[in-house]
Amino acid sequence: MCLTEEDLRQIPIIWPNTVYNLLPANLYVYPDKFYLIFISMDYSCPHKVYSIPKEGGEAKEIYDDISMRSFGDDISQKDGAPLQYKDGLICIRQDDSVLVFVNDEGEEPLFPLPVGTANLLKGWYEEGKSILLWSSDPNYAVVVNLQGEVLFELYRSWFLSSSCWDVHGNAANGILFTEASLVDYAYFPGFYALDFFRKERVRHFNSGIYDTRTGNMIPLYWKNQIDPVCWSKVDYDPDFFERLLASAKRNRAVPHVVDKQ
């Protein structure tokens, strides 16, 4: 389904038999296509990426070796969730933990993980330029470029800590994140030098914005069910959203489409 200001369009897709025992997960939108990741119900198995034309048509499998290990609570971002980049995805290859760029044309290796012990892919630090990696033992975070070179260390706890960030999106000078845990709910905040100077802190499993210019944490007091994955691509226009809401209300009674083939 595609909701517009005018109507609710239905996008016809021809699915191959290979998706029947998989679960749909992440959706990525491009000017001419969609990428949809399907995950195996056995999380030890690699996951698959399918490419779908924007106006519908045949879903084509383009990659079948993605690692998306799950750390922390079950509604956090999975460590290894692919990053949208240009006309494809940056993801972790299952077999050897190499970061690769994948699109319709194939696979291009970028650099191997881990960087030190920072083997958890958390998201963009600066979208399209640098990536945030986190380590679980010991607990620290580094920012690397697309060649795997460490630009700087962002976080290191002085004492026992299981805190990390689940990154939801990036905008100019800001990162939208949830304060999460590397070890499920057994959460230890630890201590970090800047913690002593911050006026505000983001609480465990709440969301906030990290100001990359100042290092300030801006709490939003949301719960972790909020996952605005397209934050970096949306300019808030109240009039547009009112028109979209009106369209959704007009089309809420549209019956479900049943494929009888």
Side-chain angles (χ1 to χ4, degrees):
M1 300 293 184
C2 177
L3 179 66
T4 69
E5 297 177 61
E6 289 76 29
D7 58 14
L8 184 68
R9 292 195 297 111
Q10 300 169 359
I11 300 174
I13 302 172
I14 302 171
W15 295 106
N17 293 337
T18 49
V19 306
Y20 290 162
N21 294 321
L22 302 174
L23 300 174
N26 306 44
L27 175 68
Y28 301 85
V29 181
Y30 302 83
D32 60 339
K33 65 189 176 186
F34 302 100
Y35 276 171
L36 184 58
I37 294 178
F38 280 85
I39 61 176
S40 169
M41 287 177 276
D42 178 0
Y43 281 90
S44 64
C45 296
H47 308 309
K48 300 176 182 287
V49 183
Y50 286 83
S51 178
I52 305 161
K54 196 67 171 284
E55 298 303 319
E58 184 175 357
K60 175 186 176 183
E61 180 182 315
I62 65 165
Y63 198 65
D64 65 351
D65 198 21
I66 288 181
S67 172
M68 288 173 62
R69 296 189 298 169
S70 182
F71 286 80
D73 65 294
D74 58 1
I75 48 181
S76 290
Q77 172 186 322
K78 290 180 176 61
D79 294 288
L83 309 178
Q84 188 167 348
Y85 178 62
K86 295 184 177 179
D87 65 341
L89 298 172
I90 291 176
C91 52
I92 298 176
R93 190 161 62 193
Q94 173 88 1
D95 289 342
D96 51 10
S97 295
V98 170
L99 212 64
V100 296
F101 173 70
V102 175
N103 62 9
D104 286 25
E105 306 302 319
E107 171 195 274
E108 176 188 346
L110 298 178
F111 60 88
L113 291 176
V115 176
T117 58
N119 60 348
L120 308 181
L121 177 65
K122 305 305 292 186
W124 291 113
Y125 182 84
E126 186 177 0
E127 188 163 2
K129 296 181 180 180
S130 57
I131 296 171
L132 178 63
L133 302 178
W134 215 282
S135 167
S136 58
D137 185 21
N139 191 352
Y140 69 91
V142 293
V143 176
V144 302
N145 61 20
L146 297 184
Q147 290 74 47
E149 299 166 338
V150 176
L151 302 180
F152 58 89
E153 184 175 285
L154 179 73
Y155 176 94
R156 181 181 292 270
S157 66
W158 289 352
F159 303 104
L160 179 66
S161 171
S162 65
S163 64
C164 67
W165 295 357
D166 287 333
V167 175
H168 300 300
N170 305 74
N173 303 314
I175 298 174
L176 184 62
F177 71 98
T178 297
E179 179 80 358
S181 172
L182 294 165
V183 290
D184 202 13
Y185 288 98
Y187 173 72
F188 302 96
F191 296 98
Y192 174 53
L194 289 180
D195 291 346
F196 293 108
F197 302 102
R198 287 178 179 140
K199 295 180 180 179
E200 296 184 286
R201 293 292 309 279
V202 176
R203 295 183 179 275
H204 188 207
F205 292 144
N206 277 358
S207 296
I209 295 174
Y210 175 77
D211 188 326
T212 58
R213 295 167 301 180
T214 65
N216 291 335
M217 301 284 200
I218 307 169
L220 297 178
Y221 304 109
W222 291 348
K223 296 303 178 182
N224 54 2
Q225 286 85 353
I226 296 176
D227 189 5
V229 293
C230 295
W231 187 50
S232 60
K233 299 177 175 61
V234 176
D235 291 325
Y236 179 64
D237 179 348
D239 292 336
F240 168 74
F241 279 95
E242 286 296 330
R243 295 193 298 272
L244 203 62
L245 176 61
S247 175
K249 290 179 177 178
R250 288 196 306 272
N251 291 284
R252 66 184 304 174
V254 173
H256 295 291
V257 177
V258 178
D259 185 355
K260 297 181 180 180
Q261 293 185 345

